Amino acid sequence: MSEILVLVDHVDGTVRKTTNELLTLARRLGEPSAVYVGSGEAPVEALKKFGAEKIYVVDDAEIKGYLVAPKAELLQQLVEKTSAAAVLIPSSGEGKEIAGRLAIKIESGLITDAVDVEAGASGPVTTQSVFAGSWTVQAKVTKGTPVITVKPNSAAPEEAAGAGTVEEFAPTISDAAKAAQIVASQPRKATGRPELTEAAIVVSGGRGTGGDFEPVENLADALGAAVGASRAAVDSGWKPHTFQVGQTGKTVSPQLYVANGISGAIQHRAGMQTSKTIVAVNKDEEAPIFELVDFGVVGDLHSVLPALTDEVTKRKG
Amino acid sequence: MNIVVCVKHVPDATADRRFEDDATVDRVGVDGLLSELDEYAVEQALQIKEKSGDEGTEVTALCVGPEGAVDAVRKALQMGVDKGVHVSDEAIAGSDAIATSLVLAEAVKKIGDVDLVVCGMASTDASMSVVPPMIAERLGLPQVTLASVIELQGDQIRIKRDGDAATEVIGATLPVVLSVTDQTGEARYPSFKGIMAAKKKPLETYALSDLGVEAEKVGLSVAWSAVEETTERPPRTAGEIVTDEDGSGATALAEFLASKKFI
Ligand SMILES: Cc1cc2nc3c(=O)[nH]c(=O)nc-3n(C[C@H](O)[C@H](O)[C@H](O)COP(=O)(O)OP(=O)(O)OC[C@H]3O[C@@H](n4cnc5c(N)ncnc54)[C@H](O)[C@@H]3O)c2cc1C
Ligand SMILES: Nc1ncnc2c1ncn2[C@@H]1O[C@H](COP(=O)(O)O)[C@@H](O)[C@H]1O
């Protein structure tokens, strides 16, 4: 069987859930080979656990100071070395940019933002959700080695022991790829809550919070959820942009999305419409968000949310 | 300085967007306009020109798309860019990002001596966010992308980029490909004066042959990926809506969440 390269998403060696999802999908297509770009000890056990047969370890000393381009170069070299049958990359801002450059380099087709990947008769078949989630598209790559970026929460990670054979790989990085330098980097402050794009439950607040996110956050904590925000809430300075859900923020696809004081503009829907279950609290019964919901409460979030939080805490015992 | 801003013409996101039978985006049945996210790119290109204080700085709006797509260029001219270039050719129809980036890169070369290529963060229809890095790859230029704040000093550019795990400052030396997010600040509206002035601004139309791009390299038939099937998602079935009275809403919602095993 052919190798399927999976670019490992990790924070300082801690593998993120998206990687386990990608390894799970890769197993449908061939033999998963994890590509770990980092420093220090590679997380071999974590990658083996989800089926990595091979682990290419790339020391990032020469790479981490630069934006995107070196990673595209090293993946190109790995594709050529392994004759991989496909490359799976997490669908983050950085991941998509790496994928775009890689596709040009290896003269191969590219599919971004897949929400599912299956083996087809002639290579992988992907599913994408487009036009703010109102259409579903099935596509495949017709030239070269398919480069596919996959959104978080696209598959339930399944454990399967892989051989996890470690192979050091030393790429040659060109000077041209080092032209955009990372001059400074401020790691995101840990919120203590689940990562927005990975969370099973997301509780969001909009303009309707009036700037008081406490009821939203308390509910999120009672449910073990991530906190999100509409652009109106972000533009008002109530939450940093990293919390924004929507077209120009994060796309989330959790089991449960709770929209509070959010009207449901098309740009917001674009980021949450594929959530499995949607509920909303809004004092305006005409709010468009109610067209999407499985359950909606017409009411003031400042009274509904605290009461709901109490109820959740009570039931959870 | 010589600045090119890439503007895409897209179906209106608030309209009912659809696919054609050949699985290409319906660009006829739905009103088109300048992609909202490219307005931010136009705005930043204009601000860079204004701040440069260099009389010679010229901003060119570049669009690849069918005949009607020229409207996107016109809008950019009304907002204040100096000239427009529209690349239109039957052969381009149905191109994927790979082919589109090829045409854009060749058009940038044709415009010549470009210091800065400015793009939006994503097109509002395809929403891939790959064309800017692809143009950078093709032109062999540094990419400084997904910028929320931009600073330019001489030939040094610094941007702020909200990454997944960190907020970064990225630096490079011109010429570069820059893409900007909607965090860069609201785009200006065309003024009456701007709309009148736009009519007299130069607007060139290129065919593929003008760029030296072979027709066999672009279009639907040579796309490196193919759509097999498009399905309209069934509208979500209307859920239950209750009105909160004296705390009844919270109880009902808790019941619902419990029935779905969320609590
Ligand atoms: C290019 C572009 C990109 C965009 N990208 C995004 C994006 O990524 N994400 C995004 O979210 N938006 C985005 N937007 C903005 C989007 O169009 C909307 O303006 C935004 O989503 C509105 O936020 P909101 O629902 O919080 O505010 P509003 O639309 O003002 O809605 C507030 C809601 O709160 C309700 N409310 C008020 N008080 C209470 C209360 N006490 N209790 C309960 N309900 C209450 C009101 O009834 C109302 O429905 C974008 C816009 C543009 C042009
Ligand atoms: N056909 C096009 N004409 C001009 N610019 C484009 C075109 N397609 C994409 N772009 C530019 O590339 C950016 C990202 O597009 P995309 O990769 O499709 O999300 C857009 O915001 C535009 O600036």
Side-chain angles (χ1 to χ4, degrees):
Chain A
M1 263 211 283
S2 328
E3 287 183 50
I4 308 295
L5 298 180
V6 171
L7 182 60
V8 174
D9 189 9
H10 68 94
V11 180
D12 298 329
T14 305
V15 175
R16 292 175 66 174
K17 189 171 140 241
T18 42
T19 304
N20 304 341
E21 294 165 5
L22 263 59
L23 287 170
T24 303
L25 291 172
R27 293 210 305 272
R28 298 182 186 166
L29 309 174
E31 287 189 348
S33 294
V35 181
Y36 176 80
V37 186
S39 34
E41 195 103 0
V44 174
E45 290 309 317
L47 296 169
K48 264 165 87 164
K49 195 164 145 192
F50 285 90
E53 296 295 338
K54 279 200 188 136
I55 301 170
Y56 295 104
V57 175
V58 183
D59 181 8
D60 70 355
E62 219 198 330
I63 290 169
K64 66 176 173 219
Y66 309 98
L67 189 66
V68 184
K71 285 190 180 155
E73 279 192 354
L74 80 87
L75 283 174
Q76 172 189 19
Q77 290 161 28
L78 268 175
V79 168
E80 283 161 6
K81 174 183 146 82
T82 61
S83 313
V87 186
L88 303 186
I89 298 175
S91 228
S92 57
E94 184 187 2
K96 292 209 273 187
E97 295 191 331
I98 294 169
R101 299 189 74 125
L102 175 64
I104 303 266
K105 282 179 188 297
I106 61 174
E107 301 197 1
S108 296
L110 164 71
I111 289 172
T112 57
D113 295 320
V115 295
D116 199 7
V117 185
E118 300 273 1
S122 54
V125 178
T126 61
T127 306
Q128 292 157 288
S129 178
V130 302
F131 297 159
S134 58
W135 282 71
T136 305
V137 171
Q138 238 101 44
K140 64 172 196 220
V141 164
T142 51
K143 184 173 178 215
T145 308
V147 179
I148 301 168
T149 77
V150 184
K151 286 202 173 188
N153 283 345
S154 294
E158 287 160 25
E159 293 186 15
T165 315
V166 173
E167 202 174 303
E168 307 277 339
F169 180 72
T172 323
I173 305 300
S174 71
D175 285 341
K178 296 182 186 167
Q181 264 180 302
I182 301 173
V183 185
S185 178
Q186 177 91 51
R188 266 240 309 283
K189 263 211 294 288
T191 58
R193 298 193 178 94
E195 173 65 29
L196 185 53
T197 53
E198 293 175 8
I201 304 179
V202 174
V203 180
S204 287
R207 201 192 311 273
T209 61
D212 177 11
F213 257 69
E214 208 179 301
V216 172
E217 289 172 346
N218 289 345
L219 176 62
D221 292 339
L223 289 167
V227 172
S230 72
R231 185 169 111 170
V234 170
D235 284 352
S236 305
W238 302 337
K239 281 285 156 200
H241 181 249
T242 45
F243 284 68
Q244 185 176 315
V245 171
Q247 184 189 36
T248 55
K250 301 259 157 62
T251 315
V252 299
S253 197
Q255 297 298 321
L256 172 65
Y257 188 83
V258 188
N260 304 291
I262 292 177
S263 61
I266 179 91
Q267 294 91 351
H268 188 77
R269 289 179 181 209
M272 46 67 73
Q273 189 145 271
T274 55
S275 306
K276 307 293 173 305
T277 300
I278 298 174
V279 304
V281 178
N282 194 305
K283 69 177 183 189
D284 174 12
E285 62 178 343
E286 305 276 311
I289 191 80
F290 284 129
E291 293 162 18
L292 293 185
V293 300
D294 298 285
F295 197 92
V297 177
V298 180
D300 190 330
L301 69 90
H302 295 288
S303 55
V304 175
L305 295 192
L308 177 61
T309 305
D310 285 347
E311 191 75 22
V312 171
T313 315
K314 209 166 69 199
R315 284 177 190 241
K316 279 198 162 177
Chain B
M1 225 184 352
N2 199 356
I3 304 173
V4 172
V5 51
C6 296
V7 293
K8 189 174 181 184
H9 190 252
V10 297
D12 186 351
T14 55
D16 204 5
R17 292 175 292 179
R18 323 191 43 82
F19 282 97
E20 302 269 22
D21 291 340
D22 67 353
T24 60
V25 175
D26 176 1
R27 295 186 191 276
V28 179
V30 178
D31 279 346
L33 41 71
L34 166 61
S35 176
E36 230 165 348
L37 293 174
D38 292 347
E39 289 185 14
Y40 296 91
V42 173
E43 177 63 34
Q44 289 308 309
L46 293 173
Q47 285 191 21
I48 289 169
K49 172 180 168 158
E50 287 154 9
K51 281 183 206 150
S52 78
D54 168 10
E55 284 292 311
T57 295
E58 190 170 64
V59 183
T60 306
L62 167 63
C63 175
V64 173
E67 226 169 281
V70 72
D71 286 354
V73 182
R74 288 223 175 84
K75 173 86 185 273
L77 290 169
Q78 292 171 352
M79 287 172 75
V81 309
D82 302 298
K83 55 185 239 216
V85 171
H86 177 207
V87 184
S88 188
D89 199 306
E90 285 288 316
I92 298 173
S95 288
D96 56 5
I98 306 226
T100 303
S101 68
L102 172 70
V103 178
L104 284 168
E106 290 304 321
V108 169
K109 280 192 210 159
K110 166 113 182 158
I111 293 165
D113 283 331
V114 172
D115 300 288
L116 196 56
V117 179
V118 191
C119 293
M121 65 184 287
S123 51
T124 54
D125 54 349
S127 197
M128 295 177 77
S129 302
V130 295
V131 166
M134 282 179 168
I135 297 174
E137 177 73 35
R138 291 188 180 282
L139 294 174
L141 295 180
Q143 70 169 84
V144 289
T145 43
L146 303 178
S148 58
V149 179
I150 300 145
E151 270 173 46
L152 194 64
Q153 255 176 23
D155 66 352
Q156 295 302 306
I157 188 162
R158 287 256 184 294
I159 64 147
K160 191 171 142 219
R161 169 174 163 119
D162 284 322
D164 226 19
T167 296
E168 294 167 333
V169 178
I170 313 292
T173 307
L174 301 189
V176 302
V177 176
L178 166 71
S179 83
V180 310
T181 74
D182 62 335
Q183 297 286 301
T184 47
E186 283 309 305
R188 66 194 66 186
Y189 289 103
S191 63
F192 178 70
K193 214 173 118 209
I195 293 171
M196 296 317 286
K199 296 184 175 148
K200 296 194 206 77
K201 290 178 180 171
L203 200 173
E204 281 181 274
T205 308
Y206 294 151
L208 281 181
S209 55
D210 296 318
L211 304 179
V213 176
E214 295 158 37
E216 298 76 53
K217 290 226 162 107
V218 297
L220 184 60
S221 59
V222 297
W224 294 356
S225 54
V227 171
E228 306 224 289
E229 213 178 296
T230 58
T231 347
E232 192 164 10
R233 188 183 274 266
R236 291 186 85 102
T237 42
E240 190 184 344
I241 314 275
V242 300
T243 303
D244 179 52
E245 273 160 40
D246 306 326
S248 63
T251 318
L253 185 45
E255 273 307 316
F256 174 80
L257 294 180
S259 75
K260 293 274 183 188
K261 308 256 186 298
F262 288 118
I263 44 177

